[in-house]
Amino acid sequence: MKLILLGAPGAGKGTQAEIICDKLQIPAISTGNIIRAAVKEGTEMGTKAKSFIDAGKLVPDEVVIGIIKERLEADDCKNGFILDGMPRTVVQAEALEQMGVEIDKVLDIEVPDENIIKRMGGRRVCSACGASYHVEFKPSHKAGLCDRCGGSLIVRKDDEPATVLDRLKVYHELTEPLVEFYRERGKLIVIEGQKEIGQITAQILKELEA
């Protein structure tokens, strides 16, 4: 099954992607993680992307589309995948179609802006492996340390309050139009994103079986 997760920054896409990929045995592909790895490694693409990420803006379409195309050609994507963080614009969605990538369903996790701001203030990310946590909703077993690898948990630059407001503005202007784009194609499923993590997962799995 080939899926896309939509929703504002902090809506819970990454958390649900991790759970669903384990249940469906397909890879969760996070554009953000791929780009952040490139930034950390100091690659040519990472250097180009860094200034956009630091400002809370979107990485240019041609960069995102290029790395996603390469990733989807990997062997582990043959039986499906979950795209988290791509497409972010209608142009990117059209590029996916032109690449011949057939998407089965698009899950739109909806959460009000005020809840997003509260959520993102508590987000933490492992500096070593990129695993996601939240001080209130998904705490690690040991404060400040990753359950997977023991790495230190940090607040990402794009989770800081001023950057969050910029990211929400960008989301509403550029990414939200994708909701209508996929609704017109009969692939959109709206998910209520303010429930407990397990309840959201149950709703998603029920919709996918329909």
Side-chain angles (χ1 to χ4, degrees):
M1 184 167 282
K2 298 174 182 178
L3 308 172
I4 288 174
L5 281 175
L6 289 181
K13 301 186 299 297
T15 298
Q16 292 301 325
E18 288 181 9
I19 298 171
I20 297 167
C21 76
D22 285 340
K23 290 185 178 296
L24 301 183
Q25 293 298 297
I26 56 178
I29 300 172
S30 168
T31 308
N33 284 347
I34 294 172
I35 293 174
R36 280 190 289 275
V39 170
K40 187 175 182 179
E41 293 164 11
T43 65
E44 182 179 351
M45 185 205 73
T47 302
K48 183 177 178 182
K50 188 176 187 303
S51 61
F52 292 91
I53 295 172
D54 287 346
K57 296 181 179 179
L58 297 180
V59 177
D61 283 345
E62 63 269 18
V63 177
V64 177
I65 292 167
I67 60 172
I68 288 297
K69 185 176 189 299
E70 186 175 70
R71 180 67 182 87
L72 295 184
E73 290 170 351
D75 287 342
D76 64 341
C77 291
K78 288 182 179 179
N79 294 322
F81 50 80
I82 302 170
L83 280 179
D84 169 19
M86 198 283 180
R88 284 188 173 178
T89 64
V90 171
V91 170
Q92 290 181 1
E94 291 172 341
L96 277 180
E97 292 183 343
Q98 290 164 7
M99 282 161 48
V101 178
E102 181 64 32
I103 299 299
D104 296 312
K105 295 185 180 181
V106 178
L107 304 165
D108 176 32
I109 302 178
E110 296 195 345
V111 180
D113 284 2
E114 57 268 25
N115 291 37
I116 292 288
I117 294 168
K118 179 182 177 182
R119 280 188 185 186
M120 293 181 76
R123 291 213 305 192
R124 300 293 183 269
V125 176
C126 177
S127 57
C129 73
S132 300
Y133 298 89
H134 193 284
V135 294
E136 182 179 352
F137 306 118
K138 190 187 175 187
S140 57
H141 293 304
K142 288 186 178 181
L145 296 178
C146 177
D147 294 340
R148 288 185 179 180
C149 71
S152 58
L153 303 184
I154 60 172
V155 178
R156 288 189 350 224
K157 169 77 174 176
D158 51 6
D159 285 338
E160 294 175 359
T163 309
V164 170
L165 291 174
D166 286 339
R167 293 178 71 199
L168 285 171
K169 183 172 182 285
V170 169
Y171 171 77
H172 291 306
E173 290 177 357
L174 298 181
T175 307
E176 211 164 38
L178 285 170
V179 172
E180 193 58 36
F181 180 88
Y182 285 113
R183 180 179 282 119
E184 290 175 354
R185 284 157 174 74
K187 298 182 178 181
L188 186 74
I189 298 172
V190 177
I191 303 295
E192 169 56 60
Q194 296 188 80
K195 301 175 182 177
E196 294 290 327
I197 291 174
Q199 292 177 312
I200 296 171
T201 303
Q203 184 186 352
I204 288 174
L205 293 175
K206 182 179 179 181
E207 294 283 1
L208 293 180
E209 291 171 0

